[in-house]
Amino acid sequence: MPEYKAPLRDIQFVLNDLLNSEQHYAGLEGCEQVSPDVLNAIVEEGARFAENTLHPLQKVGDEEGCQFEDGQVTTPTGFKEAFKLWGEGGWQALGVPEKDGGQGLPNSVGACISELAGSANWAFNMYTGLALAPVTCLLNGGTEEQKQRYLPKILTGESAGAMCLTEAHCGSDVGLLRTKAKPNGDGTYTLSGTKIFISGGEQDLTDNIVHAILARVEGAPEGTKGVSLFIAPKYWIEEDGSKGDFNHITCGSIEKKMGLKGSATCVMNYDGARAVLLGEEGRGLDIMFKLMNSARLGTALQGLSMSEASLQGSITYARERLQMRSLTGPKNPDGAADPIIVHPDVRRMLMTQKAFTEGSRAFVYWLAQLVDHENYGNEEQKKEAEDLLGMLTPIAKAFCTEVSQEVTNLGMQVLGGHGYISEHGMEQIVRDGRISTIYEGTTGIQALDLLGRKVMGSQGALLASVTKRIHKYCKANSDNESLQAFIEPMQALNKEWGEITMHVGEKTMSNPDELGAASVDYLMYSGYVILGYLWMQMANVAQREIAEGSTDPLYKSKVATAQFYFDRLLPRAQAHKAAIMAGAESTMSLTEEEFVFV
Amino acid sequence: MPEYKAPLRDIQFVLNDLLNSEQHYAGLEGCEQVSPDVLNAIVEEGARFAENTLHPLQKVGDEEGCQFEDGQVTTPTGFKEAFKLWGEGGWQALGVPEKDGGQGLPNSVGACISELAGSANWAFNMYTGLALAPVTCLLNGGTEEQKQRYLPKILTGESAGAMCLTEAHCGSDVGLLRTKAKPNGDGTYTLSGTKIFISGGEQDLTDNIVHAILARVEGAPEGTKGVSLFIAPKYWIEEDGSKGDFNHITCGSIEKKMGLKGSATCVMNYDGARAVLLGEEGRGLDIMFKLMNSARLGTALQGLSMSEASLQGSITYARERLQMRSLTGPKNPDGAADPIIVHPDVRRMLMTQKAFTEGSRAFVYWLAQLVDHENYGNEEQKKEAEDLLGMLTPIAKAFCTEVSQEVTNLGMQVLGGHGYISEHGMEQIVRDGRISTIYEGTTGIQALDLLGRKVMGSQGALLASVTKRIHKYCKANSDNESLQAFIEPMQALNKEWGEITMHVGEKTMSNPDELGAASVDYLMYSGYVILGYLWMQMANVAQREIAEGSTDPLYKSKVATAQFYFDRLLPRAQAHKAAIMAGAESTMSLTEEEFVFV
């Protein structure tokens, strides 16, 4: 694997220069404890854990994978010990309120730690992330008694968790699910059914596993309205928190996958498992809603994590590998050839990786702050954050993971044949990251949520919450001469965004397929605009520092990367616009049968 | 794996309707034997071999991979038997002249067979393709005696071959190679050195392996001018063709790779191997030239092969998988949900796969016909083919493989989570195809060849050979009302292509880095234009058939797919143009050190 070093300097830039973390936390009731010193200390400690404990297990996780025998799952060497350290270090409880037994740190702090742990070893990150699934469900839908009973051992890392939604015939279409819940008359239910693609459904890291399961109570209506949310541990948990009997939750098999081989993806059988209902019957998806949003942000973050890991690997290689001479004359005259970083096309690849990676970090960290506003802000902040997150969460999930495919594949490409062999670890990053555009709602599902539910569903109000913000920023900086190269194209795009939306909206009224045919290109267009908005801000901040005399090369790098983004990546928005404006006709004109001619 | 069915109907369309194969072969001296009936019979026989013999081994090739123990390589179960059948069926000798012991069929026939074999099992295709490496070198640079001695057993499949170029410190930069050749005084040489990434360098399929090796004769100048080409078999071959002593060619290890696991990628040691020189000392690369061109077309073809395999898998799944209802009302009211092919975004993915796959087929098959012209045509045909191939070969290699990454990843995406697990085989296609943008010259290397050597090197003459052709076609069809939707954008792009070239040329005069910074975007722009030209022609042919009363759904499908390409894919050329026009500044402005801030 490429050696992983936590990108602390860039994280500081985003947290301090771009997002003014100090003021952010100081202004939020319940977050005042996150002083700059505290934040720094946590992030540096997380960096050490990621670099020293998790990263050394990344390759072994891929090579050994998980093994399945007689219903038992064996995780790769070292995962169990690392999971124990993770729990003991308090990382699992980081974002859980103090009153519920956690560390009470805001979401945005957890996002940093997840980035670091994720770049170091995403397969491991699956177990810690999924352990939070029942936690989030309990915090949102559980009674005090339920929280006290099921949370504590997850927070210490003695137990883990799983989120059990997908069934063989039911992926994106949750309403089709068949797992049954039968009331026992004592307030508990008995579950029966089979779930697939359950990450961490079974493992050997922890004594117990708490499953959050979507199921249908006997007699419930069809579709999503009949879906309820349950908690069922692998071993029953008694009132006093002690471990009870085996609860008839078994693993039928694990999947062989393209990547994330260290993460067990299980077929889970519930053969009469005892479960408790969270909230009301038929309201399972309402409680899941917050979990789904945090899972989407968490997956956007996977895009960032994989991008960062790949960028580090390709930069290191490009500086070391000697091959051919620079077109402008030898740069390493004493060597047999120049390092390939001198070649403009290698630069193009590295700069593309850099612009998307650092842009994704700004994007995800910004949204994490908005989640802090949602959780800790005043009414006005909450409302604003809710609108922005409604609009931006699907964009972040799909865009940061889609561009991450490009970034990680460019990372391989920089290494040439050495990228394709396993030794350097670059191809593992591609394989591990490939799932990110699929799980937690595919790019297509995010795009329908964005354009259908959010933009059209709010009659443009949620879009306006974003475009107004961009407009305001451009206007506030209109007398800043050195920022005009960014402001002018951003203002034009911002206006165009609204026009495109109107156009699609009108066409959709006569043909609903127009919405679906435009949706992914609309999402990608939106993503390019948002990243442009963020790069404009980063350029502004950096230019200001340079004007004030800073010679920190980071600031020069930020201005150059912003310019690269506007020069060479942002123009892709126009190709997406053209695809949107072309409409649905040629996309939909073939009959199903006309697709096959062998 | 998705079941593979040879796309015979589409191949017929390209060969007959688009490329007028009958006239093509009838007009070439030495190709007259390829009547439509003969061509059909060969392609159908190849389809059966691909479907029934090669495809069943594709998954086992990935699962078992190649094993290495004590210097011996074991290929996956069934590969040895299939290789024997391949040789016995005469497939290995298909394109070799009759006078040299082959079947004497033109290159374009071999291209069809390679597509079929390649979609069915590209890992297997590596062995048969590499067996042709020494064959091509011998045909181009060998004496009659050398040909008679080394060719026969390769053509029957009793021996195979390997192309040995890359060394650990020397990939794209061939001039750096160090493998040494010492003259023995008897006309033979003794080779010593180590090569890496040698596909089929060692295997258990054949009794002997003939290596074509680039090496440097003692005292030869540095750089590419000192590079000579040698033939050295694993076991010496006596004058009468019989197998002699072991020739000190050993395999040190095999690589663990992302994909193509059934193909052994070897570290090869030459510890005093006896070798014969092909042609003159120091002229090795001149002889390799023709091999490099056919390897580039062969890799373009891998793009096509993998795209086709993925397209078939995703269409099949999209017609079977039931999930959610169509936005325009239920299409499968009796089922629990509609097949996902009704959803516009799934359509967008399938149509994108289809437009790139069928476009790539038209592109590669066209170039294969041009190679026929080069080999069998009159002087005028030869000259024209040479110019067109000089310009189009790097475009085909890079563009068909780059879009294939998109096609095969979309294929996975259509299957959602089921695409990420190995069971359905869609992820294997992505992994197997990922190398295609890397080997035989990366996309970046192709782009430098195109823009530097070909376009600028010919002062625009090679570009003009293509643009004139497009212009002529547009003009000849200017009174065709129904084709205007394609002709107008094509004429504009064709003109713009020249303007962009002028622009880059001028900038390059003052800064050579401008060429490198523009090169890959220039290549992709060119690829989109060429595919537009081909889709315009396919639409024309299809519209004509429809106008003449044909109700064959293939023709309707061609017109719709052409429209989709022009609507939704061709506009991407504009994003590439913008990147080109932005110039090198922001790409090159960071110093090497400024890339790292951890």
Side-chain angles (χ1 to χ4, degrees):
Chain A
M1 303 305 300
E3 193 194 357
Y4 173 67
K5 291 288 290 175
L8 294 178
R9 182 67 190 92
D10 200 63
I11 289 174
Q12 280 163 1
F13 172 81
V14 173
L15 290 179
N16 302 336
D17 298 79
L18 180 69
L19 295 175
N20 303 312
S21 285
E22 186 171 355
Q23 283 165 264
H24 168 77
Y25 295 120
L28 287 178
E29 208 184 313
C31 299
E32 304 89 345
Q33 81 276 30
V34 191
S35 68
D37 284 352
V38 165
L39 181 61
N40 250 337
I42 296 171
V43 172
E44 283 181 11
E45 191 59 33
R48 267 191 292 275
F49 194 83
E51 291 170 2
N52 303 334
T53 304
L54 300 183
H55 191 59
L57 302 176
Q58 189 179 18
K59 202 176 179 66
V60 77
D62 188 59
E63 285 175 349
E64 290 185 14
C66 290
Q67 307 302 322
F68 179 77
E69 214 181 315
D70 297 334
Q72 304 299 310
V73 171
T74 310
T75 57
T77 305
F79 273 44
K80 184 170 181 157
E81 293 71 21
F83 196 87
K84 193 158 179 280
L85 291 172
W86 176 265
E88 287 171 0
W91 300 110
Q92 195 65 68
L94 201 73
V96 174
E98 284 180 272
K99 68 179 178 54
D100 296 308
Q103 310 260 8
L105 285 162
N107 180 278
S108 53
V109 179
C112 290
I113 302 304
S114 288
E115 184 208 316
L116 304 173
S119 287
N121 192 336
W122 194 271
F124 179 86
N125 221 30
M126 292 294 289
Y127 296 107
T128 61
L130 268 306
L132 287 178
V135 173
T136 308
C137 292
L138 282 158
L139 291 177
N140 286 297
T143 61
E144 280 309 311
E145 193 273 334
Q146 287 173 330
K147 288 197 276 182
Q148 280 166 29
R149 189 156 173 178
Y150 299 108
L151 281 181
K153 291 201 170 164
I154 304 179
L155 301 185
T156 59
E158 291 163 272
S159 288
M163 184 65 236
C164 313
L165 188 156
T166 304
E167 301 178 7
H169 61 287
C170 143
S172 300
D173 195 350
V174 188
L176 296 178
L177 71 84
R178 291 179 195 151
T179 296
K180 277 202 190 102
K182 195 174 157 179
N184 294 329
D186 63 351
T188 65
Y189 293 75
T190 297
L191 299 187
S192 55
T194 297
K195 297 277 180 182
I196 66 167
F197 297 168
I198 306 306
S199 301
E202 179 57 39
Q203 34 79 353
D204 61 352
L205 305 175
T206 56
D207 270 2
N208 205 353
I209 303 169
V210 179
H211 295 244
I213 307 165
L214 289 181
R216 200 179 288 285
V217 176
E218 275 192 340
E222 296 209 337
T224 53
K225 288 192 167 55
V227 173
S228 304
L229 178 60
F230 297 89
I231 291 285
K234 177 178 164 189
Y235 293 94
W236 188 247
I237 295 169
E238 305 295 348
E239 255 176 274
D240 63 357
S242 65
K243 188 172 157 183
D245 293 337
F246 177 67
N247 196 21
H248 309 291
I249 297 179
T250 55
C251 176
S253 62
I254 62 174
E255 305 290 350
K256 195 169 166 268
K257 308 188 300 291
M258 184 185 206
L260 294 186
K261 292 175 195 274
S263 163
T265 305
C266 306
V267 172
M268 295 304 301
N269 299 311
Y270 304 90
D271 300 314
R274 198 172 166 200
V276 294
L277 176 72
L278 291 190
E280 293 170 35
E281 283 188 12
R283 304 297 294 270
L285 293 179
D286 297 347
I287 304 169
M288 276 276 295
F289 184 72
K290 198 148 187 181
L291 174 60
M292 286 193 282
N293 271 338
S294 73
R296 290 199 284 181
L297 268 188
T299 311
L301 215 142
Q302 181 182 9
L304 164 61
S305 288
M306 309 315 282
S307 291
E308 173 67 32
S310 182
L311 172 65
Q312 293 193 13
S314 56
I315 288 178
T316 303
Y317 186 86
R319 295 186 63 179
E320 287 170 359
R321 172 77 170 172
L322 305 182
Q323 208 77 172
M324 301 193 284
R325 291 294 179 190
S326 164
L327 295 168
T328 56
K331 299 290 176 285
N332 174 36
D334 299 337
D338 290 338
I340 62 171
I341 198 169
V342 307
H343 302 309
D345 188 59
V346 172
R347 284 293 178 108
R348 175 191 62 83
M349 295 193 274
L350 297 176
M351 290 297 289
T352 303
Q353 290 185 288
K354 195 166 149 62
F356 279 140
T357 303
E358 294 171 12
S360 295
R361 180 172 294 117
F363 194 177
V364 176
Y365 282 34
W366 173 34
L367 299 200
Q369 275 201 351
L370 291 174
V371 176
D372 291 348
H373 280 170
E374 235 186 354
N375 292 336
Y376 300 95
N378 57 36
E379 280 315 304
E380 193 189 334
Q381 284 172 320
K382 267 186 217 258
K383 166 77 182 110
E384 191 192 42
E386 215 171 84
D387 285 353
L388 287 169
L389 285 170
M391 179 78 189
L392 297 173
T393 302
I395 300 176
K397 195 282 179 185
F399 188 78
C400 294
T401 58
E402 288 287 343
V403 299
S404 182
Q405 306 310 311
E406 181 173 346
V407 171
T408 57
N409 274 288
L410 285 175
M412 264 186 76
Q413 192 74 19
V414 169
L415 273 76
H418 296 273
Y420 193 66
I421 63 174
S422 305
E423 186 185 338
H424 296 267
M426 298 300 280
E427 60 89 29
Q428 186 189 337
I429 299 172
V430 173
R431 289 186 290 105
D432 285 353
R434 180 62 187 86
I435 188 64
S436 63
T437 67
I438 296 174
Y439 61 12
E440 306 306 338
T442 62
T443 299
I445 294 292
Q446 302 301 327
L448 282 181
D449 178 54
L450 172 68
L451 186 54
R453 203 159 157 269
K454 303 296 171 54
V455 175
M456 299 299 170
S458 73
Q459 297 184 295
L462 291 192
L463 171 62
S465 74
V466 178
T467 52
K468 270 185 198 159
R469 207 180 160 92
I470 296 176
H471 178 68
K472 217 169 123 183
Y473 189 90
C474 290
K475 230 178 144 184
N477 290 278
S478 60
D479 58 350
N480 181 342
E481 199 54 49
S482 61
L483 207 65
Q484 291 312 305
F486 304 112
I487 289 180
E488 279 169 30
M490 275 314 299
Q491 270 178 322
L493 278 169
N494 203 34
K495 185 160 167 282
E496 191 181 69
W497 197 4
E499 291 160 1
I500 293 172
T501 309
M502 289 288 287
H503 176 85
V504 176
E506 277 163 28
K507 278 181 124 173
T508 298
M509 283 194 275
S510 57
N511 177 10
D513 275 344
E514 290 285 348
L515 189 140
S519 57
V520 165
D521 282 291
Y522 184 88
L523 184 143
M524 292 303 291
Y525 179 97
S526 306
Y528 278 107
V529 174
I530 294 295
L531 232 62
Y533 169 53
L534 290 160
W535 271 116
M536 169 173 68
Q537 293 176 68
M538 290 194 274
N540 193 7
V541 168
Q543 283 176 347
R544 202 182 303 148
E545 292 293 333
I546 293 168
E548 284 171 11
S550 170
T551 56
D552 186 336
L554 180 84
Y555 295 119
K556 181 189 160 196
S557 155
K558 287 290 167 191
V559 177
T561 310
Q563 192 59 55
F564 179 88
Y565 181 81
F566 274 70
D567 279 354
R568 303 194 64 143
L569 302 177
L570 189 54
R572 297 183 188 174
Q574 296 311 308
H576 291 293
K577 179 189 169 190
I580 295 165
M581 303 306 273
E585 198 183 330
S586 61
T587 307
M588 300 303 290
S589 64
L590 293 185
T591 66
E592 199 183 308
E593 291 73 23
E594 284 160 357
F595 268 95
V596 183
F597 305 98
V598 288
Chain B
M1 305 302 299
E3 192 195 357
Y4 173 67
K5 291 288 287 174
L8 295 178
R9 183 67 191 92
D10 200 62
I11 288 176
Q12 281 164 0
F13 172 80
V14 174
L15 291 178
N16 303 335
D17 297 80
L18 181 68
L19 296 175
N20 303 311
S21 283
E22 186 172 353
Q23 282 165 264
H24 169 76
Y25 295 120
L28 287 178
E29 208 184 311
C31 298
E32 305 90 342
Q33 81 275 30
V34 191
S35 66
D37 284 353
V38 165
L39 181 61
N40 248 338
I42 296 170
V43 173
E44 283 181 10
E45 191 58 33
R48 268 192 294 275
F49 195 83
E51 291 171 2
N52 302 332
T53 304
L54 300 183
H55 191 58
L57 302 176
Q58 189 179 16
K59 202 176 179 68
V60 77
D62 188 60
E63 286 175 348
E64 289 184 14
C66 290
Q67 308 301 324
F68 179 77
E69 215 182 314
D70 296 333
Q72 305 297 311
V73 172
T74 310
T75 57
T77 305
F79 273 43
K80 185 170 181 157
E81 293 72 21
F83 196 86
K84 194 158 179 282
L85 290 173
W86 176 265
E88 289 171 356
W91 299 110
Q92 195 66 65
L94 201 73
V96 175
E98 283 181 271
K99 67 177 176 60
D100 297 309
Q103 311 260 6
L105 286 162
N107 181 278
S108 53
V109 179
C112 289
I113 303 303
S114 288
E115 184 209 315
L116 303 174
S119 287
N121 191 334
W122 194 271
F124 180 86
N125 222 30
M126 293 294 288
Y127 296 106
T128 63
L130 268 306
L132 288 177
V135 174
T136 308
C137 292
L138 281 159
L139 292 177
N140 286 297
T143 61
E144 280 309 311
E145 192 274 333
Q146 288 174 330
K147 288 197 274 181
Q148 279 166 31
R149 192 158 170 177
Y150 299 108
L151 281 180
K153 291 202 171 165
I154 304 179
L155 300 186
T156 58
E158 290 162 273
S159 288
M163 183 66 236
C164 314
L165 190 156
T166 305
E167 299 178 7
H169 62 287
C170 144
S172 299
D173 196 349
V174 187
L176 295 177
L177 68 84
R178 291 179 194 151
T179 296
K180 278 203 189 99
K182 197 173 157 180
N184 296 328
D186 62 353
T188 64
Y189 292 75
T190 298
L191 300 187
S192 54
T194 297
K195 299 276 180 182
I196 66 166
F197 297 169
I198 307 306
S199 301
E202 180 55 40
Q203 34 80 353
D204 59 353
L205 306 175
T206 56
D207 268 3
N208 206 353
I209 303 169
V210 179
H211 295 244
I213 307 165
L214 289 181
R216 200 178 290 282
V217 176
E218 275 191 339
E222 297 210 338
T224 55
K225 287 190 170 55
V227 173
S228 304
L229 178 60
F230 297 89
I231 290 285
K234 176 177 166 189
Y235 293 95
W236 187 246
I237 295 169
E238 305 296 349
E239 254 176 271
D240 63 357
S242 64
K243 188 171 156 182
D245 292 339
F246 177 67
N247 196 20
H248 310 289
I249 297 179
T250 54
C251 177
S253 62
I254 61 174
E255 305 290 350
K256 198 170 164 263
K257 308 189 301 292
M258 186 186 205
L260 293 185
K261 291 175 194 272
S263 163
T265 304
C266 305
V267 173
M268 294 305 301
N269 299 312
Y270 304 90
D271 299 315
R274 198 172 164 200
V276 293
L277 177 73
L278 291 191
E280 294 169 35
E281 283 188 11
R283 304 298 294 269
L285 292 180
D286 297 347
I287 306 170
M288 277 276 296
F289 184 72
K290 200 150 183 177
L291 175 60
M292 286 195 282
N293 272 338
S294 73
R296 290 199 284 181
L297 270 188
T299 311
L301 216 143
Q302 182 182 8
L304 164 59
S305 288
M306 310 315 283
S307 292
E308 173 67 33
S310 182
L311 173 64
Q312 293 193 14
S314 56
I315 288 178
T316 304
Y317 187 85
R319 295 184 64 181
E320 287 169 359
R321 172 77 169 173
L322 305 181
Q323 207 79 170
M324 299 194 285
R325 291 296 180 188
S326 164
L327 295 169
T328 57
K331 299 290 177 285
N332 174 36
D334 298 338
D338 290 336
I340 62 171
I341 199 170
V342 307
H343 301 310
D345 188 59
V346 173
R347 285 293 178 109
R348 174 190 64 81
M349 295 194 274
L350 296 177
M351 290 297 289
T352 302
Q353 290 185 286
K354 193 166 151 62
F356 280 139
T357 303
E358 294 173 12
S360 295
R361 180 173 293 118
F363 194 178
V364 177
Y365 282 33
W366 173 35
L367 298 199
Q369 275 201 350
L370 291 174
V371 176
D372 291 348
H373 280 171
E374 236 186 355
N375 292 337
Y376 301 94
N378 57 37
E379 281 314 303
E380 192 190 332
Q381 285 172 321
K382 268 184 215 257
K383 167 75 182 113
E384 191 192 43
E386 217 172 82
D387 285 354
L388 287 169
L389 285 170
M391 179 79 190
L392 297 174
T393 302
I395 302 175
K397 195 284 178 183
F399 187 78
C400 293
T401 58
E402 288 287 344
V403 299
S404 182
Q405 306 311 312
E406 180 173 347
V407 171
T408 56
N409 274 289
L410 285 175
M412 265 185 73
Q413 192 73 19
V414 168
L415 273 76
H418 295 275
Y420 193 67
I421 62 173
S422 306
E423 185 185 338
H424 296 268
M426 299 299 281
E427 61 88 27
Q428 186 189 337
I429 299 172
V430 173
R431 289 186 290 103
D432 285 353
R434 180 62 187 86
I435 188 64
S436 64
T437 67
I438 296 174
Y439 62 10
E440 307 304 340
T442 62
T443 299
I445 294 292
Q446 303 301 326
L448 282 181
D449 177 54
L450 172 69
L451 186 55
R453 205 160 155 266
K454 304 298 171 56
V455 174
M456 299 300 170
S458 73
Q459 297 184 293
L462 291 192
L463 171 62
S465 73
V466 177
T467 53
K468 272 185 196 158
R469 207 181 160 93
I470 296 175
H471 179 68
K472 218 168 122 184
Y473 189 92
C474 290
K475 230 179 145 185
N477 289 278
S478 60
D479 57 350
N480 182 343
E481 199 54 50
S482 61
L483 207 65
Q484 291 312 305
F486 305 112
I487 288 179
E488 279 171 29
M490 275 314 300
Q491 270 178 321
L493 279 168
N494 202 35
K495 185 160 167 283
E496 190 181 70
W497 197 2
E499 291 161 1
I500 293 172
T501 308
M502 289 288 288
H503 177 84
V504 176
E506 277 164 28
K507 279 181 125 171
T508 298
M509 283 193 278
S510 57
N511 178 9
D513 275 345
E514 290 285 348
L515 189 138
S519 58
V520 164
D521 282 291
Y522 184 88
L523 184 144
M524 293 303 291
Y525 178 96
S526 307
Y528 278 107
V529 173
I530 294 295
L531 232 62
Y533 170 53
L534 289 160
W535 272 115
M536 170 174 67
Q537 294 177 67
M538 291 195 274
N540 194 5
V541 167
Q543 284 176 348
R544 203 182 302 149
E545 293 292 334
I546 292 168
E548 285 171 8
S550 171
T551 55
D552 186 336
L554 179 84
Y555 295 120
K556 181 189 160 195
S557 155
K558 287 290 166 188
V559 178
T561 310
Q563 191 59 58
F564 180 87
Y565 181 80
F566 274 70
D567 279 354
R568 303 193 64 144
L569 303 177
L570 189 55
R572 296 182 190 174
Q574 295 311 306
H576 291 293
K577 180 190 167 187
I580 296 166
M581 303 306 272
E585 198 182 329
S586 61
T587 307
M588 300 302 292
S589 64
L590 293 186
T591 66
E592 198 183 308
E593 292 71 27
E594 284 161 357
F595 269 94
V596 183
F597 305 98
V598 286

